[in-house]
């Protein structure tokens, strides 16, 4: 198939690349400075290093043909990359820390991703020193490859309901692992389907007839010599999924499988040779599931790196796509041309909040990582005081960022019109790979209950006059109960005044979240509403809390800039967009808050103010997404290319489909003609008369 | 891989199948009667006939292994089915009308679907009698296979902006078809990528230097002998998409291709040998795009058949999935068991509105089909008076039903938790295949402008005292302007009174839609808001209009039942759910309607009332979805199976994945071990010390 040569002009009358260059010329700030601020210098350096390697070794890391690949081909590419990454680590060319960036840039958690993200950290946190000497060393050396087997086919959210058992067999000094029922089948376990040699299995522990709750135990799954499943182990892949098909989520059923006593992770429980159990008193029992806090924080990071890809494609393509003419257009449209669709208010209204969220999520990632590291530092010293707050906040952020990211990608898909539906948009693989985040590591509708519970308990304690620690997540609740918040400046401001005051925005968001928490408490305590009846309001409470947290983290990150930084205006405008967008989407809740602080006349101004602000940011949309520095390889998008050569490459990508070009295409097309279509077309005769 | 035999019980302690049987025992109506009412007897008979054929010929129609198939394999199966369907038509075993049902039951528009849905109807509507004698006969006989080529890579919504030209060449009595630019490449055309021999191409028509707008012309694409592309035609498949990969959407570029003058469809334009053009005066020029109204009505049908699949899987699986225990549960949970997740208010709140929408959409389909047939009947008699209304209503319904369906499937996917992410849930292929409907045949954000324009123009005309025809879509606007609506009973009712009064519900919905249309008109006329600035409110206006239309169509269909029908109570409850759900999701708009008819205290009752109603319907959820009679083959879902054998089949489906079982699995696993994983595990040594 030849690229047609008779075409007069590639894109009439203004070429997409020229339009993109024009958008860039409007930048009110240095894109490089913005990149260093929002992505961090550390990330940019790692990214550049990794991209140099990827570009030098396309045979190992090229993903440009991923849209044509079957699941097996995708897995093959993923395995190949994983092997090479480990070699590169051994050669000292990349570090263990760099693998976070490699995952982002390849756009996939490979089959060894969870070995690094869940298996090794669990050994680090919960194995005794003696066990670390053996297992952790092997794991870090990839002599064993591990997974984390918690969820069962019949049990997800209810961890206490897990059915897999480990029973101490004193005679042989072993534990016997067993799956008693079909519903106890371990399911969804990443890296279990094909890859792993060992599993960290969460089991109901029984010793001498006594139950010791859920504990992690290391169980060999496949031979490290032949890789064949070990006796008593029925193991396989859970099959094709909506996305994330480069990970081999697996299932396993144990038929009375024995492992040495030594394999039970013993930092938080000790089992002696005679079955005597010792449990350290100072440890919070929830530390067993500590790895889930870590993975939620990782998810916040991943979501911010996924939404920037969508925002980049969305902003670039809607800048160059022209459709119809808006007569009120500010930039005069050249004769015979049409308006860029980003000039339409409806497109700005949908896209710009995604850009704002992307910035806010990146800032949030930086702050929550710092917080998490501080927490882990404290835990290693036996101090668990931050656990409740970081648990509640990570649950809320996991929900907020995953929902925002999925909606953001979908929005960008939609504003690209029909072309968003093509794999060559780059948005669909992103969408399906991002999607499972709404469920894994805690279903978003379950997680919001954890946050709601924390907020309600805290406000209840404050109301009861109990001492409540003054951490970042409870201060606003105290201010609410004391009546200080309601008297703040925000309550006397018009919407447009609010839009210009980051302080007042934070106050309003804090007030709203606290009032919603208080309202739920009152509903339960005074109006007899049950937990089940209150469930419907919990996602909104959790999200309202997060709207406040994200806004304050974003603010905190902006304030790290020098006072006179030229980056500040755009960043604060993005903050205002996010604020107004939040109000616009929750007006119903806002108007029904107790106290009648807000009127419907006041609320009438939200949407026009939001439109005004998105129209301003629209002018900076392309520079703002350029600052994310998402490499073209990672975009893998005809629509979002940095050079703006959109339709040329879109057509070329289609032409290169093995169903269009080459031997395979000729063969399969001939076959379909000979077998199916030809006989239909040639076997005519008596059908028309019947119709 | 052997199914494990040591498992004590399949599902502990209450088997999923037993739970489903219990749900069915609660039915308050005859499922068979309900099926005949909501699906129609005619559909059920066709469905049973087609399913008998499908089951008798698995080699032609079985789709059970679709989740393991590559695009090529899916296309192969689709071609095979298409060929057999045509044979069955020739054998007189199924009719042309039955093919609508075959598409639904196979769950895919095959490569010949658009030949029937767009190509033939365009010939029927726009070809002259003489042309029909040739082309229509050939098309009905499948001697030619056609597609409908309108959209271009650079032009979708702006039909006037299409760039492909057809120029009359008097010397040879031909038209020359040309693609002047890259952006004029015809793109997305279904059946063009691989299948078709001919294309109905929408072109800018030029005759003797004069422009005659957009017209359809029949252009041969591939040889009917060899199926090779004809000279000057560059044609191929647009490549992989998010879904709908059993259709070969294609592209085509014409390099000065000649066709006989006869190929220009001549019912609404006549070109004589000398280039003299005659255009009938009475025809509305928009009739050229008449096929798009038809396809929008088809979409309403398809959406109702897609959402019932999702609702069926969602209701059945959430009934049998157990997770944690709700202490306030009504049905006592057996010892050691957990509550069905459908007992949680948050799941009811999400699922039951989907069931309600499914019922409302099916009812809407029945009414809009009647309306459309009446319209086509009038058009054939030269009466175009219904065109504007049916255009506006079909645009609004297309938007409303596609958004509802996509959201409904997503909701059902989410309430199934992690398992919703598995292809074996049956919800993901459904989702991706349904998704393009939000864009094709008119992007939903563009279509809502058509509806908004119609409503605004009408209300403006009414206010100006002009005569406005009293059709189903304008009566409520007149009542609004006259002030009659605002004085209706609804305005004096509490939320719970409204929930019990279908009449008042319709009044409120009519009032709301009319007030929003009026508000937009006022904004434009008195407050100087431009069209662009008003865009953001148009989706909401269009949807508010549709909320009213769908409720009134649903009502109309229910009222066709005898007064004492035992089906009525459940149906009216579903109507109330939909009504309350609509209010709950648009409270912000409702509270800001001019006139201050609604207060925030009043609105506080919406959610509790909705929860109360969904809790009642929850008891009938399984019988209600059973009445859709979606065959298990169409569900192709481990979670939604009619026999409730959920986890057994889920595990068996996974085990049958070619990556788990059989020669292929052994080979590929060995290869991955030998090439990638083995060297990693065995090539240990110096990595741990570096970390």
């Amino acid at each position: 198939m030849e690229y047609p040569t008779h075409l007069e002009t590639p894109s009439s009358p203004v070429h997409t690349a020229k339009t993109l260059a024009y958008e860039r010329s409007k930048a009110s700030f240095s894109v490089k400075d913005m990149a260093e601020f929002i992505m961090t210098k550390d990330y940019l350096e790692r990214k550049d290093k990794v991209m140099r390697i990827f570009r030098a070794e396309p045979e190992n890391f090229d993903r440009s043909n991923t849209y044509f690949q079957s699941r097996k081909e995708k897995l093959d590419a993923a395995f190949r990359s994983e092997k090479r990454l480990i070699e590169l680590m051994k050669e000292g060319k990349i570090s263990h820390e760099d693998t976070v960036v490699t995952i982002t840039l390849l756009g996939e958690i490979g089959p060894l991703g969870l070995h690094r993200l869940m298996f090794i950290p669990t050994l680090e946190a919960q194995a005794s020193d003696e066990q670390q000497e053996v297992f952790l060393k092997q794991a870090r050396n990839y002599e064993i490859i591990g997974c984390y087997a918690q969820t069962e086919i019949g049990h997800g959210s209810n961890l206490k309901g897990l059915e897999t058992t480990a029973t101490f067999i004193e005679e042989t000094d072993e534990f016997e692992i067993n799956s008693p029922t079909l519903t106890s089948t371990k399911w969804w376990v990443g890296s279990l389907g094909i890859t792993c040699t060992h599993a960290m299995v969460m089991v109901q522990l029984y010793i001498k007839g006594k139950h010791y709750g859920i504990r992690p135990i290391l169980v060999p799954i496949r031979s490290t010599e032949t890789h064949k499943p070990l006796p008593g182990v029925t193991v396989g892949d859970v099959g094709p999924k909506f996305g994330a098909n480069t990970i081999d989520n697996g299932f396993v059923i144990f038929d009375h499988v024995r492992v040495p006593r030594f394999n039970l992770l013993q930092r938080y429980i000790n089992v002696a040779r005679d079955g005597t159990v010792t449990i350290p008193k100072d440890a919070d029992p929830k530390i067993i599931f500590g790895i889930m806090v870590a993975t939620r924080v990782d998810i916040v990071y991943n979501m911010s790196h996924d939404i920037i890809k969508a925002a980049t494609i969305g902003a670039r393509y809607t800048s160059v796509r022209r459709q119809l003419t808006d007569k009120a257009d500010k930039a005069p449209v050249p004769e015979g041309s049409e308006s860029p669709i980003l000039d339409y208010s409806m497109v700005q209204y949908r896209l710009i909040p995604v850009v704002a969220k992307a910035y806010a999520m990146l800032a949030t990632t930086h702050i929550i990582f710092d917080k998490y590291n501080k927490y882990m530092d404290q835990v290693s010293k036996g101090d668990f005081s931050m656990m409740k707050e970081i648990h509640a906040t990570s649950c809320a952020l996991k929900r907020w960022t995953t929902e925002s990211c999925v909606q953001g990608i979908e929005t960008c898909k939609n504003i690209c019109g029909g072309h968003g539906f093509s794999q060559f948009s780059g948005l669909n693989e992103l969408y399906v790979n991002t999607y499972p985040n709404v469920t894994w590591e805690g279903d978003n509708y379950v997680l919001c209950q954890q946050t709601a519970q924390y907020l309600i308990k805290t406000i209840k304690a404050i109301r009861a006059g109990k001492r409540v620690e003054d951490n970042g997540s409870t201060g606003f609740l105290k201010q609410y109960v004391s009546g200080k918040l309601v008297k703040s400046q925000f309550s006397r401001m018009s919407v447009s005044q609010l839009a210009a005051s980051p302080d007042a925005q934070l106050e309003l968001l804090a007030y709203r979240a606290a009032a919603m928490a208080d309202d739920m408490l009152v509903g339960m305590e005074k109006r007899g509403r049950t937990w089940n009846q209150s469930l419907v309001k919990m996602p909104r409470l959790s999200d309202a809390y997060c709207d406040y947290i994200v806004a304050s983290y974003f603010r905190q990150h902006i304030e790290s800039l020098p006072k006179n930084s030229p980056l500040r205006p755009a960043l604060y405008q993005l903050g205002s967009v996010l604020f107004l967008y939040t109000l616009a989407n929750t007006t119903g809740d806002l108007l029904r808050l107790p106290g009648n602080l807000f009127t419907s006349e006041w609320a009438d101004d939200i949407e026009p103010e939001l439109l005004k602000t998105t129209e301003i940011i629209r002018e900076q949309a392309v520079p703002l997404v350029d600052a994310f520095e998402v490499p073209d390889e990672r975009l893998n998008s005809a629509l979002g290319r940095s050079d703006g050569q959109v339709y040329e490459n879109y057509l070329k990508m289609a032409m290169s489909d093995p169903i269009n070009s080459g031997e395979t295409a000729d063969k399969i097309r001939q076959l379909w003609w000979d077998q199916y279509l030809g006989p239909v077309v040639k076997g005519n005769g008596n059908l028309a008369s019947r119709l």
Side-chain angles (χ1 to χ4, degrees), chain A:
Chain A
M1 188 172 285
E2 306 272 313
Y3 191 90
T5 51
H6 78 284
L7 304 174
E8 293 161 23
T9 63
S11 181
S12 118
V14 189
H15 193 272
T16 47
K18 210 173 137 191
T19 307
L20 206 57
Y22 165 70
E23 291 292 337
R24 287 185 174 127
S25 73
K26 295 187 291 178
S28 68
F29 53 84
S30 151
V31 171
K32 194 174 155 290
D33 291 350
M34 185 64 97
E36 285 185 0
F37 167 71
I38 198 65
M39 304 307 297
T40 76
K41 243 181 164 165
D42 175 72
Y43 167 80
L44 294 177
E45 281 167 12
R46 284 181 202 275
K47 179 205 65 161
D48 289 341
K49 180 172 76 175
V50 169
M51 285 312 299
R52 269 194 303 276
I53 295 171
F54 281 7
R55 283 167 187 158
E57 302 185 14
E59 69 282 13
N60 291 316
F61 300 109
D62 178 53
R63 290 289 185 277
S64 59
N65 63 346
T66 187
Y67 305 134
F68 305 127
Q69 288 179 324
S70 69
R71 185 170 178 217
K72 262 181 236 153
E73 288 164 334
K74 279 180 207 280
L75 274 166
D76 195 79
F79 279 124
R80 184 189 307 266
S81 298
E82 289 281 21
K83 183 192 173 207
R84 181 62 189 140
L85 282 175
I86 292 162
E87 287 169 1
L88 287 164
M89 280 193 264
K90 290 192 177 175
E91 292 165 15
K93 290 186 182 147
I94 61 166
S95 67
H96 185 76
E97 287 72 35
D98 290 332
T99 58
V100 176
V101 179
T102 63
I103 287 174
T104 307
L105 295 174
L106 283 175
E108 63 190 36
I109 304 186
L112 269 70
L114 293 172
H115 174 76
R116 286 187 285 268
L117 290 171
M118 295 191 84
F119 185 70
I120 288 180
T122 301
L123 284 169
E124 287 170 341
Q126 301 197 44
S128 66
D129 294 347
E130 206 186 344
Q131 290 176 315
Q132 291 196 353
E133 193 52 36
V134 180
F135 300 137
L136 186 55
K137 221 167 166 181
Q138 290 176 327
R140 285 179 171 166
N141 259 334
Y142 294 87
E143 292 165 52
I144 60 176
I145 301 174
C147 65
Y148 182 84
Q150 180 172 299
T151 301
E152 296 174 357
I153 199 170
H155 310 277
S157 303
N158 181 12
L159 294 179
K160 286 187 188 157
L162 294 175
E163 293 182 76
T164 307
T165 57
T167 310
F168 182 55
I169 312 289
E170 200 181 340
E171 297 73 44
T172 58
D173 199 20
E174 288 173 312
F175 283 105
E176 184 172 277
I177 317 299
N178 193 42
S179 312
T181 60
L182 172 57
T183 43
S184 73
T185 305
K186 291 287 177 190
W187 200 268
W188 284 123
V189 183
S191 306
L192 173 62
I194 298 162
T195 310
C196 79
T197 62
H198 287 64
M200 190 64 69
V201 186
M202 300 302 273
V203 291
Q204 300 283 4
L205 183 64
Y206 290 93
I207 296 168
K208 296 189 168 183
K210 203 177 157 196
H211 179 220
Y212 289 91
I214 308 280
R215 299 280 166 176
I217 188 164
L218 188 68
V219 185
I221 299 292
R222 296 181 178 91
S223 155
T224 52
E225 283 305 317
T226 65
H227 213 234
K228 295 280 181 284
L230 296 170
V233 175
T234 304
V235 61
D237 191 277
V238 298
K241 296 151 290 186
F242 188 49
N245 283 305
T246 52
I247 320 175
D248 51 322
N249 296 87
F251 66 86
V252 63
I253 300 167
F254 299 106
D255 182 3
H256 304 89
V257 169
R258 297 280 181 96
V259 300
R261 174 170 55 96
F262 185 68
N263 284 28
L264 179 76
L265 295 206
Q266 308 222 355
R267 171 149 296 185
Y268 295 108
I269 186 168
N270 187 276
V271 183
R273 174 64 189 92
D274 65 353
T276 308
V277 176
T278 324
I279 294 172
K281 272 196 186 134
D282 55 343
D284 190 312
K286 284 184 190 135
I287 195 69
I288 298 296
F289 303 106
I291 187 64
M292 297 191 74
V293 174
T295 50
R296 274 176 214 134
V297 172
D298 285 338
I299 286 174
V300 176
Y301 172 90
N302 293 334
M303 292 305 95
S304 62
H305 279 269
D306 283 350
I307 198 172
I308 62 176
K309 175 174 165 180
T312 302
I313 298 168
R316 289 187 185 153
Y317 184 62
T318 56
S319 299
V320 304
R321 171 74 174 183
R322 290 168 185 272
Q323 202 71 181
L324 296 156
T325 313
D326 175 36
K327 284 154 205 143
D329 228 325
K330 273 193 265 172
V333 178
E335 183 71 29
S337 183
E338 300 172 277
S339 300
I341 59 173
L342 189 48
D343 280 358
Y344 293 100
S345 67
M346 195 67 233
V347 177
Q348 293 168 10
Y349 187 80
R350 290 188 282 163
L351 173 74
I352 304 298
V354 179
V355 179
K357 278 189 183 180
Y359 269 82
M361 277 161 66
L362 285 163
T364 299
T365 302
H366 304 322
I367 310 282
I368 194 73
F369 262 72
D370 288 349
K371 231 181 162 83
Y372 179 75
N373 289 334
K374 190 177 151 202
Y375 159 68
M376 284 306 284
D377 195 49
Q378 290 186 0
V379 167
S380 73
K381 292 170 191 152
D383 173 2
F384 298 89
S385 61
M386 276 180 77
M387 187 191 270
K388 281 205 180 83
E389 185 209 348
I390 199 142
H391 173 68
T393 304
S394 71
C395 286
L397 280 174
K398 187 269 185 182
R399 177 184 155 84
W400 194 97
T401 57
T402 54
E403 300 282 336
S404 295
C405 185
V406 166
Q407 282 167 21
I409 301 168
E410 204 185 344
T411 300
C412 290
K413 218 150 72 96
N414 273 324
I415 56 172
C416 290
H419 297 324
F421 193 69
S422 167
Q423 289 291 5
F424 306 143
S425 71
L427 293 165
N428 293 307
E429 287 241 343
L430 181 69
Y431 182 78
V432 298
N433 288 337
T434 300
Y435 200 89
N437 286 280
V438 306
T439 308
W440 68 26
E441 307 313 322
D443 180 281
N444 280 354
Y445 281 93
V446 175
L447 288 188
C448 66
Q449 298 178 45
Q450 306 276 318
T451 309
Q453 190 163 39
Y454 173 72
L455 295 173
I456 293 170
K457 270 192 180 168
T458 306
I459 205 161
K460 189 174 170 179
I462 295 169
R463 284 215 176 277
K466 289 189 190 146
R467 210 193 76 79
V468 170
E469 213 186 334
D470 212 354
N471 60 34
S473 314
T474 48
F476 76 101
L477 295 172
K478 281 187 186 172
Q479 290 189 357
Y480 177 82
V481 173
S482 73
K484 201 174 147 199
L485 256 182
V486 73
K487 290 180 212 137
S488 309
Q489 49 171 347
F490 84 88
S491 62
R492 295 177 303 275
M493 282 184 164
S494 69
V495 172
S496 66
Q497 286 172 323
L498 273 164
S501 170
D503 285 336
Q505 290 172 16
L506 274 184
E507 287 167 3
L508 186 149
L509 293 174
Y511 174 82
R512 172 168 153 271
M516 285 169 77
D518 200 43
D519 185 50
M520 189 174 290
L521 179 66
V522 170
M524 286 184 189
E525 292 207 325
K526 305 218 169 131
R527 288 186 234 125
R529 291 184 71 79
T530 64
W531 186 260
N532 193 352
Q533 284 164 339
S534 305
L535 285 179
V536 177
K537 291 187 169 186
M538 289 184 196
R540 271 130 61 192
L541 170 57
S542 170
D543 290 345
Y545 168 70
C546 241
D547 291 333
Y548 166 65
I549 290 291
V550 169
S552 78
Y553 286 8
F554 190 18
R555 179 100 203 276
Q556 202 175 321
H557 192 59
I558 299 174
E559 285 303 316
S560 71
L561 283 167
K563 284 281 170 225
N564 60 351
S565 163
L567 303 180
R568 282 183 172 241
L571 290 165
Y572 271 119
Q573 276 161 356
L574 287 168
S576 292
V577 165
L578 186 53
F579 171 75
L580 293 164
Y581 169 87
T582 303
L583 298 194
N585 281 281
T586 54
T587 312
D589 275 352
L590 208 60
L591 293 179
R592 282 159 49 221
L593 277 189
N596 293 316
L597 224 52
F598 309 103
T599 65
S600 63
E601 289 72 28
W602 177 90
D604 276 341
D605 292 333
I606 298 171
E607 206 162 81
E609 192 66 34
L610 173 55
L611 281 169
K612 219 166 73 188
T613 321
T614 55
E615 201 181 351
I616 295 167
I617 300 271
R618 177 259 176 273
E619 299 303 316
Q620 302 294 315
V622 170
L624 281 169
V625 300
D626 279 351
F628 298 142
E629 286 200 16
V630 186
D632 274 327
E633 292 90 335
R634 158 87 171 121
L635 292 178
N636 200 4
S637 165
L639 310 183
R641 292 170 62 90
S642 59
D643 67 4
Q645 303 275 349
V646 171
Y647 297 119
E648 294 83 347
N649 281 284
Y650 193 12
L651 179 59
K652 281 178 194 158
M653 282 173 104
M655 286 179 145
S656 73
D657 189 329
I659 220 163
N660 282 327
S661 299
E663 264 182 56
T664 319
D666 294 344
K667 219 171 110 185
I668 192 88
R669 281 171 181 263
Q670 192 65 48
L671 189 83
W672 285 334
W673 174 250
D674 291 343
Q675 281 201 316
Y676 307 126
L677 294 170
V680 164
V681 169
K682 292 172 184 172
N684 53 63
N686 60 353
L687 192 55
S689 59
R690 288 183 180 279
L691 297 174

